[in-house]
Amino acid sequence: MGPSVHELRERDMLTLAPQRVAEIGRAKLIISAVLSLHRMHRDDFFGHRRDLHLVAARRDAAHRLREAGFTSGQIGRILKRNHTTVLNYFDGLRDGKRRRLNERAVLRHVDPELREPIQMIAQAEGVTLEMLIAQWVGERARYEIGRAETADKREEK
């Protein structure tokens, strides 16, 4: 088995068939789009952790790659995963059930009046509830840190 898509450098691509170079380019574009959409670093995406948001991003990439015509074996090499893992990404019933269970677990901790609007916002932005809430928590933390720093500066004066 040759090197995976993300391990190839431009100089290595010169020795490949033009069709393979085009496939690698398409795969890189798809992976870049998924990383950007899911707001994650390449190392996390290709790493070994199996946090729900990481698996969701890998699943998204697998579906996009499948739509682009890649086989399960090719997708496995691109994502640095076994092809059987990739096959699990395409099990729609399990995906939907897992997502619904996870959403219920997250929403249990949210004010009942806010549950539906949060779901609608997540759907409109095309992200999971966890990603949306994590983004909001991060924004709130930055706000609180800024507020504390401002208060400290006032006390110094």
Side-chain angles (χ1 to χ4, degrees):
M1 173 169 39
S4 64
V5 170
H6 42 278
E7 293 169 339
L8 289 171
R9 296 190 189 127
E10 284 187 38
R11 65 178 170 76
D12 298 326
M13 294 176 120
L14 295 175
T15 62
L16 298 173
Q19 181 181 358
R20 177 82 168 118
V21 172
E23 287 175 359
I24 292 168
R26 281 193 339 230
K28 283 185 174 186
L29 285 173
I30 291 168
I31 297 300
S32 293
V34 169
L35 292 173
S36 177
L37 176 68
H38 290 270
R39 297 180 181 112
M40 70 176 47
H41 191 270
R42 183 174 226 71
D43 293 342
D44 294 328
F45 181 82
F46 289 111
H48 296 290
R49 288 184 19 225
R50 293 186 293 188
D51 299 0
L52 288 174
H53 71 284
L54 296 172
V55 173
R58 293 176 192 134
R59 182 176 289 116
D60 182 17
H63 282 273
R64 290 169 185 245
L65 290 164
R66 169 66 60 87
E67 289 173 13
F70 290 91
T71 66
S72 297
Q74 290 171 321
I75 294 168
R77 285 189 293 280
I78 292 166
L79 299 181
K80 291 187 171 184
R81 299 285 178 274
N82 186 293
H83 78 282
T84 57
T85 300
V86 171
L87 292 175
N88 285 327
Y89 291 158
F90 299 117
D91 184 355
L93 294 176
R94 285 179 53 188
D95 292 350
K97 183 176 181 181
R98 188 177 299 127
R99 188 183 75 255
R100 285 189 304 276
L101 288 172
N102 197 42
E103 284 181 359
R104 274 191 238 134
V106 169
L107 290 173
R108 270 196 301 259
H109 303 287
V110 174
D111 182 339
E113 292 179 9
L114 300 175
R115 290 176 185 165
E116 188 175 338
I118 289 172
Q119 286 175 306
M120 291 171 61
I121 293 168
Q123 186 177 10
E125 291 189 14
V127 297
T128 63
L129 287 173
E130 298 88 349
M131 289 174 57
L132 181 68
I133 292 171
Q135 179 185 357
W136 289 351
V137 168
E139 290 172 4
R140 178 60 187 256
R142 280 191 284 283
Y143 169 79
E144 293 294 338
I145 290 168
R147 213 171 110 194
E149 289 172 352
T150 303
D152 289 345
K153 288 178 185 176
R154 280 191 210 133
E155 288 179 10
E156 290 175 1
K157 291 182 181 180

